[in-house]
Amino acid sequence: MAANVRVTCSRCRWSLLTLFTLWVLAGCHGDRRSPPSTQPPSLPIIQTLVVVGFQAPIINGERPELVRNPITGTSFMSWPVPENVVDWLTEQLFEMLAQNKGRHLIPPGQAQGVVESIMQSDTKVGIHPLEMIQDVGKAFGADAVMIGQVYRWQERVGTDYGVETPASVAFDISLVRPSDGAILWRSNYDKTQKSLFENLFDLDTYVKSGGRWLTARELACFGLERLLAEMPGSPADKKD
């Protein structure tokens, strides 16, 4: 499955870059549209989910800056994130979601194909990212669209048992309802690994790591698992 997702991501980089451009224009350069309400309505059971995957508001070669997420209206300090990291994180997200057999998933490649089609339409010139996400969801008759941003990705400098600089990652995930753009759920993971003596309240990460200093990918996988465990709307939640 991993290989298939990786190929799909590579074919769709043009549309991803186009979405990045919209993201920057809407989020970093004074878009005055009011952010959508973050008070979730009664959350439906999500049977069909479009997985757009992750975007990086700051790409390699650009300077760190405070960015505004045009989907949720929240602001976050962001650093350059390599494109291969964004692709890998999207791949991991989809694979983890696919472990839940009760939900129909639309993979990132299909979602990006719709993004490309929208961008080529003369009637969609200047479309806002939130409207684009809604259109993508409507194209598949989905209950929700999942999209995220990667704000920071710092690799570990050192070894499993001794580091100069620990791994540090930050990203978020949002669920958007296609019919009206409502944010059904959102959550973020912002973690710089510390030793147990530095942070006695982070015993969970220490236990899961086996006392090792994690790589950025290992730390990110812990974060994805945590966020997806919190995500409501699973078909398994439906009562008979």
Side-chain angles (χ1 to χ4, degrees):
M1 180 183 297
N4 292 336
V5 175
R6 187 177 296 111
V7 169
T8 300
C9 289
S10 298
R11 285 204 306 262
C12 297
R13 284 175 179 167
W14 178 86
S15 54
L16 276 170
L17 288 173
T18 304
L19 187 54
F20 292 158
T21 302
L22 283 172
W23 213 266
V24 171
L25 290 174
C28 303
H29 295 288
D31 175 61
R32 300 186 181 279
R33 179 176 310 201
S34 298
S37 172
T38 57
Q39 294 297 321
S42 179
L43 190 67
I45 298 301
I46 300 173
Q47 297 282 4
T48 300
L49 175 65
V50 178
V51 184
V52 171
F54 287 97
Q55 325 292 324
I58 305 294
I59 59 177
N60 274 352
E62 297 181 343
R63 298 177 61 182
E65 64 176 302
L66 186 68
V67 299
R68 177 177 175 273
N69 186 326
I71 302 298
T72 64
T74 56
S75 296
F76 211 105
M77 189 64 192
S78 186
W79 285 262
V81 177
E83 184 178 357
N84 68 309
V85 166
V86 176
D87 287 350
W88 178 84
L89 200 56
T90 294
E91 182 179 313
Q92 297 305 306
L93 173 66
F94 186 78
E95 290 185 356
M96 289 183 184
L97 286 166
Q99 294 175 13
N100 184 337
K101 303 301 182 181
R103 181 185 289 124
H104 176 53
L105 299 178
I106 307 299
Q110 291 186 36
Q112 296 301 338
V114 174
V115 169
E116 184 172 348
S117 177
I118 292 171
M119 294 308 304
Q120 292 176 343
S121 172
D122 293 338
T123 63
K124 298 295 183 177
V125 175
I127 187 173
H128 188 272
L130 180 58
E131 294 175 4
M132 177 180 289
I133 295 305
Q134 290 179 250
D135 285 351
V136 171
K138 291 174 183 177
F140 294 101
D143 301 303
V145 179
M146 176 177 285
I147 189 165
Q149 290 207 85
V150 192
Y151 301 103
R152 186 177 68 252
W153 189 271
Q154 177 180 289
E155 297 289 355
R156 179 190 73 185
V157 179
T159 66
D160 286 358
Y161 297 102
V163 295
E164 297 177 26
T165 305
S168 180
V169 301
F171 53 85
D172 65 17
I173 300 175
S174 302
L175 289 179
V176 178
R177 186 165 60 190
S179 61
D180 58 4
I183 307 301
L184 297 175
W185 170 81
R186 73 178 187 192
S187 191
N188 72 282
Y189 184 75
D190 182 357
K191 175 75 70 176
T192 299
Q193 189 180 8
K194 297 181 179 179
S195 70
L196 183 61
F197 297 106
E198 291 178 288
N199 187 359
L200 294 174
F201 297 102
D202 196 16
L203 181 61
D204 182 58
T205 299
Y206 182 83
V207 171
K208 285 184 176 180
S209 69
R212 296 183 302 110
W213 289 99
L214 301 172
T215 65
R217 291 192 174 196
E218 290 172 328
L219 190 61
C221 282
F222 283 175
L224 284 175
E225 290 173 356
R226 179 177 298 179
L227 296 192
L228 294 183
E230 297 172 356
M231 187 181 77
S234 169
D237 297 336
K238 188 174 183 180
K239 303 298 183 182
D240 294 331

